[in-house]
Amino acid sequence: MNKPFFVSRTSFLALFLIILTGVFTPVFGSDEAGQKESEPVNISEVILHHVMDDHQWHFADWLVLPLPIIVYTEEKGLDIFMSSKFYDHHKEVEYNGYKLEHNHITLVESGKAVFDLSITKNVLMLLITSGLLLFVFGSAAKSAKANKGKAPKGMQSFFEPIILFVRDEIVKPNINSHHVDRFLPYMLTLFFFILFGNLLGLLPGAGNLTGNIAVTMTLAVLTFLITNFNGKKAYWGHIFWTPGVPLPLRIVILPVEIIGMFTKPFSLMIRLFVAITAGHIVLLALICLTFIFGSLIVGFGSSIIVLFINLIELLVAGIQAYVFTMFSSMYIGMAVEEGHDH
Amino acid sequence: MDLLTPGSGLIIWQLFIFVLLVLLLGKLAWKPILASLKEREESIQQALDSAESAKKEMASLKADNEILLRETREERDKILRDARTAANRIHDEAQVDAKKNADRMIEDAKSIIQTERNAALRDVKEQVAMFSIEIAEKLIKKNLSDDKTQKELANTFIKDLKLN
């Protein structure tokens, strides 16, 4: 009886902290603007810099976390060094024949782009998110094993309802019950990865992981691959020889169906990317109002608005995780459906 | 625009780490958690089912009990009724028997008394006769010592005969 109350209290505390960050985010931002007081702030550059990937983790001008650069070129082979080598007091410099320009590393001599496997800000966010997922659900699983046949405890009791929600409300209605167990691990991982990524991305200074198109593309492609590798006869039959449609129309429908195969993951990719990135841009734009007007009152006002937008973003974080998982299970569910007449 | 071009490095990291995450979480987290959830659901279902069946059993038991009780009550009533009639019958019979016995005993007693009485009377009669004879003998012996008296006696007898 005591423990769940404690858990809900901590989760409320966490929620409260996230809300508070909305209020204090401008404080973090003020460092950047402070130095550039004389020159006009390039708002769009600041915002894009915040939502995009970076080779270093820039919290504030006095707090920059250098990240490892891993590059490969045919000429020079594999090279690993820290990103701080590219900077000399905030000025971008060349290092070892490499040049970092607008987040792209090129060879100085030939100007050729390198194959960049660096641990960027988003890769580090990815690692943090994955580590958190492993920790949270690892300990939930541990207590599930320890509390066998007993009431759930701690982390387990907090996440079990969400896991049940994913299983019973997202996956089961869309995927035939014979296949649920096969796809459930992927769906759960997908849901919690997106949810955690979205929520962590809302923290001040955090990287915009799930609002990065590379990430959403990879997730969408995985869903696409799983969908088509598990496609049953009925699925392919529906695409190539749509049943219940007059013959001439079938030929017309064929390209539409084939395009449809690809628009599905494409919509997944775009939806998550846009929803998260747009949210971040809105938040940043509101915060930047303070520096556009250079006024304390506007700063206070926009902070209050940011607070509420942050609440909406919390909602969006959950909704997007839900939507991505739901559509993924719908596509996969359609693919594994055994043929039945229309 | 850079925002819309996916970085190849991030794609590779994302693919690698996410697939690894699916496998790791699938093995370490989802399997035990889902198993425990399923187990709990089953145990709850089982508990509900057994409660339901216990309830049904209880109801049928109660109905059985009621039937049993009713039957028992009927049987008891019947036994009581039987017993009462039996008791009455026995009572009546006993009464009749007793009366009969008493009557017979009285009868017996009466007859015995009669016979005894008769015997006693006979005895008394005999005794009286004996005494009378003895007395008569003595009287006769004494009275008949002279002729006159004998004659007188003979006359008396004759008188008596005449009277009879």
Side-chain angles (χ1 to χ4, degrees):
Chain A
M1 223 35 209
N2 233 347
K3 199 81 181 173
F5 176 65
F6 169 74
V7 169
S8 68
R9 203 171 46 185
T10 44
S11 57
F12 271 120
L13 194 70
L15 191 73
F16 184 66
L17 279 179
I18 292 167
I19 294 163
L20 262 193
T21 56
V23 182
F24 289 121
T25 319
V27 180
F28 286 95
S30 65
D31 269 315
E32 276 163 54
Q35 290 184 340
K36 301 173 190 167
E37 227 168 325
S38 48
E39 51 190 288
V41 190
N42 186 345
I43 299 295
S44 72
E45 201 175 281
V46 168
I47 290 175
L48 281 180
H49 171 75
H50 270 90
V51 295
M52 266 164 44
D53 205 358
D54 202 351
H55 280 87
Q56 57 176 1
W57 203 324
H58 184 272
F59 293 103
D61 274 6
W62 48 270
L63 182 60
V64 176
L65 184 69
L67 298 169
I69 304 272
I70 304 165
V71 288
Y72 178 81
T73 46
E74 269 174 42
E75 292 91 333
K76 304 181 69 151
L78 192 70
D79 242 335
I80 302 173
F81 52 92
M82 291 307 280
S83 67
S84 49
K85 296 282 200 316
F86 276 130
Y87 296 94
D88 181 28
H89 294 95
H90 301 299
K91 230 179 73 191
E92 285 182 350
V93 292
E94 291 167 9
Y95 171 77
N96 201 13
Y98 297 108
K99 194 165 73 173
L100 178 67
E101 222 173 9
H102 299 295
N103 263 324
H104 289 292
I105 299 170
T106 48
L107 286 173
V108 179
E109 296 152 27
S110 55
K112 239 176 79 181
V114 300
F115 189 66
D116 187 358
L117 264 177
S118 305
I119 307 290
T120 58
K121 187 173 158 186
N122 275 342
V123 175
L124 193 55
M125 275 299 288
L126 170 65
L127 289 170
I128 291 169
T129 309
S130 308
L132 192 67
L133 280 169
L134 280 174
F135 169 72
V136 165
F137 292 104
S139 62
K142 207 182 282 173
S143 74
K145 272 185 207 155
N147 288 327
K148 222 176 183 89
K150 283 189 224 151
K153 255 183 176 174
M155 207 93 87
Q156 186 197 0
S157 65
F158 182 77
F159 284 105
E160 260 182 15
I162 310 177
I163 292 170
L164 279 177
F165 170 76
V166 174
R167 193 191 69 180
D168 296 339
E169 305 296 327
I170 302 180
V171 180
K172 272 191 181 167
N174 291 311
I175 298 182
N176 191 315
S177 54
H178 302 297
H179 302 286
V180 165
D181 286 345
R182 204 145 56 91
F183 298 111
L184 202 51
Y186 172 70
M187 290 306 170
L188 284 167
T189 314
L190 194 62
F191 180 84
F192 284 107
F193 178 81
I194 296 172
L195 183 68
F196 277 47
N198 288 349
L199 291 176
L200 288 178
L202 284 174
L203 293 174
N208 179 21
L209 178 67
T210 41
N212 189 295
I213 198 153
V215 172
T216 63
M217 190 182 91
T218 312
L219 297 178
V221 165
L222 280 174
T223 294
F224 173 77
L225 291 176
I226 292 172
T227 307
N228 288 294
F229 277 125
N230 288 292
K232 291 266 157 59
K233 213 174 134 197
Y235 170 74
W236 293 112
H238 198 91
I239 290 174
F240 290 113
W241 209 239
T242 316
V245 174
L247 192 65
L249 263 180
R250 287 187 184 188
I251 294 152
V252 180
I253 282 173
L254 178 63
V256 177
E257 285 284 350
I258 288 173
I259 292 166
M261 274 170 68
F262 295 96
T263 52
K264 283 171 187 168
F266 192 76
S267 71
L268 283 180
M269 167 180 90
I270 295 295
R271 188 184 300 112
L272 181 59
F273 161 69
V274 165
I276 303 306
T277 301
H280 283 232
I281 289 173
V282 168
L283 282 177
L284 290 161
L286 282 167
I287 291 162
C288 283
L289 279 179
T290 319
F291 307 110
I292 294 168
F293 288 98
S295 145
L296 203 66
I297 298 163
V298 172
F300 186 72
S302 68
S303 293
I304 287 172
I305 298 170
V306 163
L307 166 74
F308 288 106
I309 299 285
N310 240 322
L311 287 175
I312 292 173
E313 284 305 305
L314 284 177
L315 196 68
V316 169
I319 289 171
Q320 287 304 322
Y322 167 72
V323 165
F324 199 106
T325 317
M326 198 197 64
F327 277 109
S328 289
S329 26
M330 218 163 92
Y331 298 153
I332 293 171
M334 266 157 34
V336 296
E337 194 59 51
E338 299 289 349
H340 53 78
D341 30 43
H342 283 249
Chain B
M1 204 176 160
D2 265 354
L3 190 64
L4 293 173
T5 38
S8 53
L10 188 53
I11 290 177
I12 288 165
W13 281 111
Q14 170 69 20
L15 190 66
F16 174 67
I17 290 174
F18 188 77
V19 169
L20 199 70
L21 197 64
V22 171
L23 296 177
L24 273 179
L25 281 178
K27 197 158 174 52
L28 295 176
W30 307 137
K31 216 169 126 192
I33 291 174
L34 290 171
S36 88
L37 283 174
K38 196 167 255 176
E39 193 185 319
R40 193 180 316 144
E41 271 163 11
E42 272 162 12
S43 85
I44 289 171
Q45 192 56 50
Q46 228 164 38
L48 286 175
D49 286 351
S50 68
E52 188 63 32
S53 72
K55 209 168 127 191
K56 264 185 206 150
E57 217 164 279
M58 206 68 157
S60 78
L61 219 63
K62 212 175 146 194
D64 280 1
N65 273 351
E66 245 155 51
I67 290 168
L68 218 65
L69 207 67
R70 207 169 53 230
E71 276 174 1
T72 317
R73 210 171 279 148
E74 273 165 14
E75 203 162 301
R76 187 196 66 185
D77 287 351
K78 196 172 150 255
I79 289 169
L80 274 177
R81 218 164 34 239
D82 286 358
R84 205 168 287 142
T85 51
N88 282 345
R89 205 183 58 232
I90 288 166
H91 183 248
D92 289 352
E93 273 173 14
Q95 239 171 4
V96 169
D97 267 9
K99 200 161 178 281
K100 230 186 263 170
N101 262 359
D103 285 355
R104 208 180 55 229
M105 273 161 78
I106 290 167
E107 210 71 29
D108 284 358
K110 266 185 188 161
S111 66
I112 287 167
I113 288 167
Q114 196 61 46
T115 46
E116 289 292 316
R117 194 166 147 240
N118 289 348
L121 272 176
R122 211 169 39 241
D123 265 12
V124 169
K125 268 182 193 165
E126 270 172 23
Q127 291 277 336
V128 168
M130 288 288 281
F131 284 144
S132 310
I133 290 168
E134 269 176 39
I135 293 165
E137 210 175 63
K138 277 174 187 165
L139 276 175
I140 290 168
K141 268 177 187 167
K142 200 178 161 189
N143 287 347
L144 293 185
S145 45
D146 60 294
D147 286 340
K148 192 188 157 192
T149 344
Q150 280 181 6
K151 214 177 181 175
E152 257 173 55
L153 185 65
N155 284 338
T156 321
F157 282 152
I158 292 162
K159 242 192 234 172
D160 279 351
L161 279 170
K162 268 181 190 168
L163 276 171
N164 284 341

